[in-house]
Amino acid sequence: MCGIVGYAGGRNAQPILLDCLKRLEYRGYDSAGIAVVGDPIQKGLQLFKSKGEIAVLESSMPEMTGTVGIAHTRWATQGRPTTENAHPLSDCTNRLAVVHNGIISNFMEVKEHLLATGHKFVSETDTEVFAHLVEAEMNGDLVAAVRKALEKVEGTYAFVVVSAGHDEIVAARRESPLVIGLGDGENFVASDVTALLKYTSRFLHVQDGEVVSLTRDEVRIFDSEGTAVERRPEKITWSLEDAEKGGYPHFMLKEIYEQPEAIHDSLLGRMESAEPEPFFQGNSFSSVKIVACGTSYHAGLVGKYIIEELAKVPTTVQISSEYRYSPVSRESPLVVLITQSGETADTLGAAREARKRGNKTVGIANVVGSAITREVDHVIYTRAGPEIGVAATKTFVTQVVALYLLAMELGVQNRSLTAQARRSMTSFLRSLPRYVQDVLNKASEIEAIAEKYARSDDMFFIGRSINYPIALEGALKTKEISYIHGEGFPAGELKHGPLALLSKDSPVVAIAVRDHTYEKMLGNISEVSARGSPVIAIGFEGDTDLPKFADDVLSIRQLPPIFTPVPVIVALQLWAYHLARIRGCPIDKPRNIAKTVTVE
Ligand code: AGP
């Protein structure tokens, strides 16, 4: 996610802004920038930005004088990670500067209107649109201009705006976090408390729909109707490291809990358009080949079921490091390369091989501007925000979301997806964050059951159909952070060998949602129980049969089979997390493995 800081006080703003901005580096970014309102004599706005790290900005920016300013680290979502696209962004008059965290979903239509009315743009970003909207409404009252501009944008945002000649900062929030730090004779705004803990421990959290005005001596909060809001400051005494984790004990847990927002952001502005993406308009594909590693490979396996069901296009999935040894296909499949980091050497090698074979390629990546984006013909970004924990969680879930979107594109293109089916898909996709939140609300139940099995040396995961890959992913999460030997199987395969491994000490996690595989799954659970192994089943709420077969049951809200992988994997992420926590493992940095594998 992007990082935002603002300062209004009696001291020179530039060094304070940089110092605060550096404390947001953990959020991940690809460019940075700063704007300082010149003192009354200059009346101008000093603005500077650069691609790369804050150190690059610090070493190349001019000295700025003024006591009010904003600064930003950009995690690119709309527009490449370039200097032009870095924030702050200004308007035509260069008297305004805006920084933003979020996604303006209707920015293209707003931009077209502004272009038609003579506005000139210098960046590819959605954020620049807002600078022009504020400028168009500006008549001396910055709060009023921002409120008017907000009426025209849709999507998610934390906007922070400054204007030449004004010693005021105006901020607005919808879904993207924003806090106000209260100092003595100075006030601050930031994306999270981490940036400001050095300067204050008194904070006001900005709520959705609110607009805030802050000067060195005053903070005013207005609700969506423009009515002033009184709010008591909170005292936060976190350590800096605690703050970077948002109060969570580990980045992995924070990222598990960020999944509803990550899913929401990944869908934003991507289901409304009636027109398919240009890339798909010109091409038709008789088959799809998905290529990836690790967790991304498991997302690809889920994608196979999704694409074949929605688009009726035969789909194969291959491990990246094996792809180059496979024979060149006579047909020319669409090759989809999934990599959250965008830097995995095996997958980059596969992308180059696919291109060499003359195939059209699509990359599904989480990092804008990462290497994969230069090796494929089209990119679908997962917009999960930076993922610090080595174990992939929110990037996996948003990869699956990207595969729903890809399948719908292919289904619309080859007319296998009816308009009614597309509407139903869109409606369920929009509700996915709530299904995930339901699972997160059951974390204590999951933790309590994990306590019973955390001392196991071996643990098996079984599922069928679209939840077979989820069994594999649950096993991978468990093995990589708890060091329990977790292994996943298609449930029907147990009798072909793995049953020999089962004992009373090897619990089996069985995904048994009430879909077309349910009866067979009950049979597999019985198979396992007959060998004395305890069974932890994951099923639908209200299923009164499952508890008769399993020793423990984790329940998710009922939903169509094609969507069950997302809430089920969230339950298994929490399962793995608590196993690892109980075993005292270094969860964010497991032994022997890295977040990005840049060697083959
Ligand atoms: C997943 O938790 C692991 N960290 C690992 O399997 C990972 O998914 C794999 O290395 C692929 O990474 P990528 O998505 O960045 O290509």
Side-chain angles (χ1 to χ4, degrees):
M1 292 80 72
C2 302
I4 292 174
V5 294
Y7 173 79
R11 296 187 279 172
N12 194 22
Q14 188 175 25
I16 294 173
L17 288 168
L18 279 181
D19 184 41
C20 294
L21 197 63
K22 287 172 183 171
R23 299 170 194 287
L24 294 179
E25 290 198 282
Y26 75 92
R27 298 166 70 92
Y29 66 101
D30 43 56
S31 58
I34 183 171
V36 173
V37 177
D39 61 41
I41 301 164
Q42 287 172 337
K43 283 202 183 305
L45 193 69
Q46 305 150 89
L47 189 154
F48 191 85
K49 49 194 185 177
S50 61
K51 185 179 174 186
E53 296 183 351
I54 295 173
V56 174
L57 175 75
E58 192 163 23
S59 61
S60 51
M61 68 184 184
E63 188 175 336
M64 301 177 176
T65 54
T67 61
V68 176
I70 56 179
H72 183 270
T73 48
R74 180 173 182 243
W75 171 273
T77 49
Q78 176 57 42
R80 293 162 298 150
T82 61
T83 299
E84 294 72 24
N85 290 338
H87 299 202
L89 287 143
S90 189
D91 62 293
C92 317
T93 65
N94 281 317
R95 290 185 58 76
L96 268 167
V98 176
V99 293
H100 172 216
N101 179 19
I103 298 161
I104 301 176
S105 54
N106 65 330
F107 91 95
M108 278 313 290
E109 65 190 79
V110 175
K111 185 167 183 174
E112 280 157 17
H113 172 71
L114 290 166
L115 285 166
T117 52
H119 287 257
K120 300 279 182 280
F121 286 82
V122 296
S123 81
E124 304 161 332
T125 66
D126 53 345
T127 307
E128 188 183 0
V129 157
F130 191 71
H132 288 267
L133 287 174
V134 176
E135 183 267 327
E137 299 292 350
M138 191 61 179
N139 62 359
D141 181 337
L142 191 54
V143 171
V146 168
R147 286 176 46 76
K148 292 291 284 177
L150 289 172
E151 291 170 6
K152 298 183 174 65
V153 295
E154 294 163 14
T156 60
Y157 53 77
F159 285 123
V160 180
V161 184
V162 289
S163 171
H166 285 248
D167 62 0
E168 173 188 34
I169 296 175
V170 175
R173 180 209 162 148
R174 183 192 289 162
E175 303 203 19
S176 296
L178 213 50
V179 294
I180 304 297
L182 304 175
D184 296 328
E186 57 188 19
N187 290 304
F188 304 78
V189 59
S191 305
D192 71 46
V193 300
T194 310
L196 306 177
L197 281 173
K198 174 181 172 185
Y199 296 90
T200 178
S201 59
R202 294 188 301 136
F203 293 93
L204 299 169
H205 283 84
V206 183
Q207 310 297 331
D208 272 3
E210 292 180 342
V211 173
V212 181
S213 159
L214 61 141
T215 63
R216 63 176 293 178
D217 299 316
E218 186 183 27
V219 173
R220 294 178 295 152
I221 302 176
F222 305 96
D223 66 15
S224 53
E225 304 302 316
T227 307
V229 172
E230 289 303 316
R231 183 157 299 140
R232 282 166 50 82
E234 284 179 54
K235 191 162 177 58
I236 294 184
T237 56
W238 279 343
S239 71
L240 197 52
E241 193 193 354
D242 287 345
E244 286 186 357
K245 294 171 191 151
Y248 290 98
H250 299 99
F251 278 110
M252 180 183 176
L253 191 61
K254 175 169 177 270
E255 287 145 12
I256 289 172
Y257 276 80
E258 285 175 341
Q259 291 182 115
E261 177 188 358
I263 294 169
H264 175 272
D265 286 352
S266 286
L267 289 168
L268 208 59
R270 286 174 158 171
M271 296 188 294
E272 291 73 16
S273 53
E275 287 306 308
E277 291 268 353
F279 168 78
F280 294 98
Q281 282 170 354
N283 295 296
S284 70
F285 302 100
S286 57
S287 67
V288 171
K289 178 175 279 291
I290 301 175
V291 183
C293 303
T295 287
S296 298
Y297 170 71
H298 296 152
L301 289 173
V302 175
K304 168 184 170 60
Y305 291 94
I306 295 171
I307 293 168
E308 290 184 343
E309 179 169 333
L310 296 185
K312 310 298 183 237
V313 173
T315 300
T316 56
V317 190
Q318 201 156 20
I319 294 275
S320 299
S321 54
E322 289 298 310
Y323 172 68
R324 67 189 67 190
Y325 308 122
S326 63
V328 178
S329 160
R330 273 199 300 277
E331 56 189 47
S332 184
L334 169 66
V335 179
V336 180
L337 301 120
I338 307 175
T339 167
Q340 66 81 19
S341 62
E343 303 292 343
T344 296
D346 288 330
T347 305
L348 292 175
R352 294 180 192 116
E353 176 64 20
R355 264 229 167 120
K356 209 159 56 177
R357 298 182 180 191
N359 298 317
K360 292 283 185 192
T361 53
V362 170
I364 296 179
N366 193 47
V367 182
V368 176
S370 56
I372 193 70
T373 63
R374 295 186 290 279
E375 302 288 352
V376 295
D377 300 310
H378 177 68
V379 181
I380 302 176
Y381 285 115
T382 46
R383 296 179 184 167
E387 187 175 68
I388 312 296
V390 165
T393 49
K394 61 179 183 173
T395 53
F396 172 79
V397 157
T398 51
Q399 286 169 350
V400 173
V401 167
L403 288 159
Y404 285 123
L405 296 171
L406 173 64
M408 288 166 72
E409 285 282 358
L410 294 172
V412 166
Q413 183 197 67
N414 66 18
R415 294 182 177 74
S416 60
L417 188 69
T418 65
Q420 169 56 32
R422 192 175 183 202
R423 279 194 296 274
S424 166
M425 281 294 298
T426 301
S427 162
F428 265 106
L429 283 171
R430 284 210 172 91
S431 65
L432 264 185
R434 289 197 299 276
Y435 282 88
V436 169
Q437 190 58 52
D438 278 352
V439 176
L440 298 173
N441 295 342
K442 297 183 175 182
S444 53
E445 289 174 44
I446 295 170
E447 183 178 4
I449 298 173
E451 291 277 357
K452 295 170 61 176
Y453 301 101
R455 295 297 157 214
S456 308
D457 294 326
D458 303 297
M459 191 174 287
F460 303 115
F461 297 74
I462 59 173
R464 286 178 178 258
S465 183
I466 199 169
N467 283 307
Y468 155 49
I470 298 302
L472 297 180
E473 176 55 13
L476 175 57
K477 288 283 97 53
T478 296
K479 71 163 69 94
E480 73 173 322
I481 64 169
S482 78
Y483 309 152
I484 292 172
H485 170 226
E487 201 168 344
F489 302 101
E493 273 298 287
L494 280 179
K495 55 189 177 293
H496 299 287
L499 276 180
L501 291 173
L502 266 55
S503 75
K504 65 178 178 41
D505 301 320
S506 59
V508 175
V509 177
I511 304 167
V513 292
R514 204 146 200 161
D515 63 8
H516 55 304
T517 72
Y518 183 69
E519 294 307 324
K520 290 285 187 209
M521 282 307 299
L522 292 182
N524 294 132
I525 291 171
S526 300
E527 235 171 39
V528 169
S529 300
R531 271 88 184 159
S533 298
V535 175
I536 303 95
I538 300 179
F540 283 154
E541 285 172 358
D543 182 342
T544 54
D545 294 327
L546 202 49
K548 298 171 190 164
F549 290 79
D551 299 272
D552 292 281
V553 177
L554 304 175
S555 301
I556 65 167
R557 251 174 63 197
Q558 181 158 344
L559 72 170
I562 196 170
F563 294 106
T564 53
V566 171
V568 171
I569 194 52
V570 173
L572 291 177
Q573 291 165 354
L574 288 168
W575 172 260
Y577 173 82
H578 286 297
L579 291 173
R581 183 187 55 74
I582 294 160
R583 295 166 67 96
C585 296
I587 290 167
D588 285 334
K589 297 188 175 72
R591 66 188 179 200
N592 306 335
I593 53 179
K595 183 64 184 172
T596 304
V597 182
T598 54
V599 294
E600 289 195 330

